[in-house]
Amino acid sequence: MEKVLLKNIDNPNSADIGEYRKAGGYRSLAKALQMQPADIVEEVKKSGIRGRGGAGFPTAMKWNFAMADPKFPKYLICNADEGEPGTFKDRPILEKNPHLLIEGMVISGYALGAEYGYIYLRGEYPAAKDILEGAIEQAYKENFLGDDILGKGVRFRLSVHQGAGAYICGEETALIESIEGKKGQPRTKPPFPVNVGAWSMPTIVNNVETLSNIPYIIEIGGEAYSAIGSSDCPGPKLYCVSGFVENPGVYELPMGTSLRDIIYKHAGGIKDNGKLKAVIPGGISTPVLPADAIDCAMDFVAMPKAGSMLGSGAVIVMDESVCMVRVTYRAMKFFEHESCGKCTPCREGTDWLRKILERIEHGKGREGDINLLSDVAGVMSGRTFCPLGDGAAGVVTGMIKHFRSEFEEHIRDKQCKFRN
Amino acid sequence: MIEITIDDRKLSVEKGITILEAARRNGIKIPNLCFDKRLRPYGGCRMCVVEIEGGRKLASACGHPAREGMVIKTNSPRVRRVRQSVLEFLLVHHPLDCPECDKAGECALQDLVFEYGVPETRFTGERKHAQPDVRGPLIELISNRCILCAKCVRICSQYQGRGALGLIGRGFPTVVQPAFGEVLECDYCGQCIDICPTGALISKPYKYKARPWFLEEKENICSFCGVGCTLTLGIREGRILRSKGREGAGINDGNLCGRGRFGFDYIYSENRLRTPLIKEGDEFRDASWEEALTYVARSLSSIRDAHGPNSIGAIGSPRCTVEDNYMLAKFMRAGLGSGNIASSEAFGYAGALRAFSLSFGIGSNPADLASPLGRDVILVLESDPTITHPVFGLNILRAKREGSRLLVADYRETKLTRHSNTWLQLRPGTLVALLNGMMNVIMDRGLFDRDRVSGIRGFSSLEAVVKEYTPAMVSEITGLTGEAVTDAAVTFANAPRRLVIMPLAVSENNKGPGSALAAANLLILLGEEPSSLQVPAEYCNTYGMLEAGIMPRGGGMDVFDMLYKPGHLRALYIMGEDPLVSMPDSRKIKNTLRSLDFLVVQDIVMTEAAELANVVLPASSWGEKEGHFINAGGLRQRIRKVVEATGKSQPDWQILRNLGLAMGINLGAKSFQDITKEADDFIAGGRREAEGAPRPAFHPVAYEPEEPCDSEFTYTLVTRDVLQHSGNMSTRSEALKLVQAEAFLEINEKDAERHAISDESHIKITSRRGAVYLRAKVTDAVPEGVVSTPVHFPSGGINELTHFSGNTCSRLDAVKIERVK
């Protein structure tokens, strides 16, 4: 498959607008501005693209909701708060191919009738901030951004808003609160951001990768795009592989590539000829899969059937040397730290789970602790305000489901056999 | 309307409301810990989860809209299990210190645990153990007990407009705190205490005072401002221990300000009078009622006989009941034959009544506390109703949140200016110029219906006066830009639904009767009705006092003649007022009082004026007597005797009746029922007489500077109210004194620097009439060249500086400032 999102990425000056244009950049924008906004949305609909942030919501459907709302102004926000542990797929776009994102946002803004865009950038990506701001400045200079884009009377203004280091701000309503200058906590839904978003106006929040696909959809047409990868959620997909593999990194592959192929064919297999023990396929919030469950297509439809989720496509690979209790404990420290504190089950539950996991990992686990973990995770699941708590509970449930014996050993032996 | 089913009950509910609201309106209880109808849905506690048929997940009822055909179960086993788990989560860290928690017995968390069963405690390990924050006055934060429902944070920021509390930190370690963990400095309204579902926020004065189940709860109308809130008083062993708001009770529907919540303890002031006092030489001695009344009766009779009834005057009280004031008026008119009856309102609300009468041809114009809601533009004139009438002020903030444009013309920064769309920061006392300027723009641009308005009496003279007030000229007087004046005029004139709000407080010297007339002119010019001019009467019974007949009628002397012109009166009867504190130019008043042959002061405490009296009579206070107050909206509300009278004190009306009998005058009123009925009939009669359609007329007012500054007196002194006090009665409250115990002088940072004055240092402030010493409060809330002070505090003696000169635009005073070395 030809590279779409990581095209030109080996060019050391790929972030420069000149290089981007040499490689054909901003042609899709010129093409799009010849089209009617509704026709652009139609192409996106035909493409079948689903949001790449993790939930896999059909992009065209989200857009249509926002367009059906008569209120103006509308805002387009790019969610670049890439905070899910294991995830670094957006980073190469932000740092190496920023104009692709900008082009995608201008086209989307034009299609949606949004004249103001924000890139909500993860606080821990300072390099990306400078690169993006530099690229935005170039785009303004060359009239790809501004009040009269390419002389077509189209306005789109874009700026970068840097987060302050809260995972929860990857959740779109918390992100909007943060953009408004408030504490990052999710809002009650409904109303959804497509109707009542930033400053109470219709707001479309799309992931970096989603928006970066838009120029290509315009370039080759929705129908051609829909032929790439899985038929029910097509397109190129960025998979970021980390952990115990020979070649960790970001791989652009057709959606639906099997998890086995990603690990063994593309990422070079398990490091030092080790033996695969487990994979977290879509970032820390997605349930773990044991070694024998990796013959599944990595897309939004197949993964739930395989017992996990595609999530952000962040494949975390673990070999036999890894202690699963420790992984669970480490994950829970993360969720406890990142829980915003708004709802009871998540705030109290993550703290409690972490405390239980901590004592098990440190050889102080008690009989009944595994059931207690399951119970606490069980009452969190589906009852928290936003998916953060669900993710935290899911990690525990998944780990106990597949690796219960390791938890039992810890409690029985009063130690972690993986230490030393 | 849509059809939904809740717990097998088919209901028809308004479209767009939440499931919780639909349930509430139909008497179905869904438990919750973070919901309050005044706040936006939060969805944090997860107690209000319900099962929606066909839904995969449970929904939280507080934020989930009810939809056509929904079938909802609020108490299914699944729902109950979730609620139990939420309670288990909350109890992991909530200390079970209920035995020493003030909230126990009325704690939402405790009640829910009781209802759903105590969950098995499976948590082991260290619990949270933060120390309580006891640093601030009145409110204590015990974060151990906090369940992070954020109701306190939200009521403070979303509803009270203050934002003094925040959720500091994230996730599990989050705590409710003032910014940067500083000492809580806020409005001290205490709304956070009432709204807290646990004992995390408690009232310090009430702490450890009583178990709630031993409290007897009685409702009474607040005795401070003209809003007339209903207080739910907690009483034990004959003593009021606390006051709180209760949803559904009274016009305040659960809201209270700090005065209503904390200030009731003035009735327990050490200074309360317990027995009649008669002055002998320079000292008072205790006397029996019989002796005191006989003495007063004899003295008044002999003065009347020698000098005629017009040599005797009386001052009524906006703090006393309708019955008390009616009886004073009756005693004077029917008993003594004197019409010299006045009150402090000559310096406040009387100016509004005059404007209503002259401009609209109406005798009264009760305020409507809901009037701000639904207006396109609200113009607030040199006032901060969030201070003078706090619960009314909440409706202004609410209107702003709901989309009204808020224009505030004020010389200083206030909570309202911070919430405004436009702050017109004019020089103090120049309001009339601004209003004339707005009319100039409106006339100039034809933004009014000339055909309709030009026939109104006085139009041509208004046109002639207003013509001079071009934006440029107004800019010079007010310090605003010409554009600001023009913009305000255009915005106001173009709004379909407009409102002007301007309380006229006795203590405020920056606006006067002229300001009310100018505002009325503006509204009449735009074809508005009297209801668009909201001047809420100041105190709990200002409105009722005036309706009960406390005003000079039939040639009677007004306050000015009685108190500022020695020799006009021989004897004065003061009921429930201290003119030496509340009225301007107190030195003059003191001279007058000293010149009297006979002074009677009837009050609940020893006052500055009482010190000069020949006889002091102890009156029962609010809470110790029955009666009625009429609030700023003209609403007659019953006040009740909830505790026993202090010492030998008696209700004012009863003292007057008995005095009448001692003088051989039968004023009737054998019982409370008699006097109530008689007063009520009198008021109803007055209201019938005042009925009739408004007859608008223009009374143009020219701007006249009041006591301009000169080379010696270089500062303008503005007197004002502070949030924690109301008149000077509240200064007897120990609780409110914890927040503000003495007078202070606000001075701009730059001016302070010029005089080398630092915060808290002592300043001598001198006007043409006198000098007082105050502590400095260096601030940027007042502009350069202006100093500001509250007049509530008897010890401050501010009114030794001030003056009064009739129906003017303002009564500002020029002063000089010196640092005390």
Side-chain angles (χ1 to χ4, degrees), chain A residues 150-406:
Chain A
L150 297 178
K152 296 283 182 193
V154 174
R155 168 197 272 197
F156 191 74
R157 295 183 177 185
L158 182 62
S159 59
V160 177
H161 184 107
Q162 199 174 17
Y167 172 67
I168 189 63
C169 290
E171 197 281 338
E172 60 179 3
T173 59
L175 183 156
I176 289 169
E177 287 276 294
S178 171
I179 279 202
E180 288 183 1
K182 299 173 186 155
K183 178 172 171 150
Q185 286 196 328
R187 293 180 181 173
T188 304
K189 291 190 279 192
F192 291 92
V194 287
N195 301 118
V196 182
W199 299 284
S200 302
M201 288 296 149
T203 301
I204 306 93
V205 184
N206 284 143
N207 177 258
V208 174
E209 190 185 344
T210 314
L211 290 164
S212 299
N213 269 287
I214 302 300
Y216 189 60
I217 292 171
I218 297 303
E219 186 186 331
I220 67 165
E223 218 166 293
Y225 181 95
S226 72
I228 303 167
S230 304
S231 58
D232 38 16
C233 47
K237 176 76 191 96
L238 296 176
Y239 297 104
C240 42
V241 189
S242 61
F244 292 73
V245 287
E246 283 295 339
N247 304 312
V250 182
Y251 296 92
E252 181 174 353
L253 301 167
M255 181 72 91
T257 305
S258 87
L259 185 52
R260 179 176 296 279
D261 283 355
I262 293 171
I263 297 169
Y264 287 96
K265 211 163 125 188
H266 301 284
I270 308 303
K271 201 175 170 185
D272 303 330
N273 291 316
K275 195 168 167 230
L276 179 68
K277 182 176 186 179
V279 186
I280 294 173
I284 199 84
S285 300
T286 59
V288 67
L289 292 176
D292 59 5
I294 61 169
D295 290 300
C296 48
M298 279 282 279
D299 67 31
F300 291 114
V301 180
M303 286 308 286
K305 292 177 191 157
S308 188
M309 285 183 290
L310 176 62
S312 59
V315 180
I316 304 169
V317 180
M318 290 162 278
D319 76 359
E320 297 259 276
S321 70
V322 175
C323 169
M324 302 314 278
V325 176
R326 193 168 168 77
V327 171
T328 317
Y329 165 53
R330 185 63 193 82
M332 201 52 61
K333 267 175 90 165
F334 171 80
F335 286 117
E336 186 198 8
H337 181 65
E338 295 296 348
S339 170
C340 78
K342 176 168 181 166
C343 76
T344 310
C346 179
R347 181 184 68 238
E348 305 291 332
T350 52
D351 172 73
W352 194 357
L353 288 174
R354 193 264 304 158
K355 283 176 176 156
I356 302 167
L357 288 161
E358 188 170 78
R359 66 176 181 244
I360 297 176
E361 170 61 10
H362 291 102
K364 290 174 184 154
R366 302 164 195 164
E367 209 176 315
D369 269 358
I370 301 176
N371 287 341
L372 185 56
L373 281 175
S374 296
D375 278 4
V376 174
V379 291
M380 282 171 70
S381 185
R383 295 161 189 187
T384 56
F385 189 93
C386 80
L388 191 152
D390 284 335
V395 170
V396 169
T397 313
M399 286 291 185
I400 292 177
K401 182 176 160 196
H402 295 296
F403 300 98
R404 189 180 182 100
S405 60
E406 264 186 46

Side-chain angles (χ1 to χ4, degrees), chain B residues 98-111:
Chain B
C98 311
E100 64 150 347
C101 178
D102 280 335
K103 200 80 176 203
E106 51 186 7
C107 165
L109 181 62
Q110 199 182 44
D111 291 349

Side-chain angles (χ1 to χ4, degrees), chain B residues 312-332:
Chain B
I312 304 173
I315 307 277
S317 171
R319 304 293 193 187
C320 289
T321 63
V322 166
E323 289 79 359
D324 298 333
N325 281 297
Y326 173 78
M327 196 53 123
L328 178 66
K330 190 175 180 187
F331 173 75
M332 290 299 289

Side-chain angles (χ1 to χ4, degrees), chain B residues 621-640:
Chain B
S621 74
W622 164 90
E624 297 174 347
K625 61 181 177 184
E626 303 280 339
H628 290 85
F629 288 158
I630 299 178
N631 80 348
L635 178 69
R636 182 171 170 269
Q637 303 193 97
R638 179 74 191 263
I639 65 150
R640 303 216 170 250

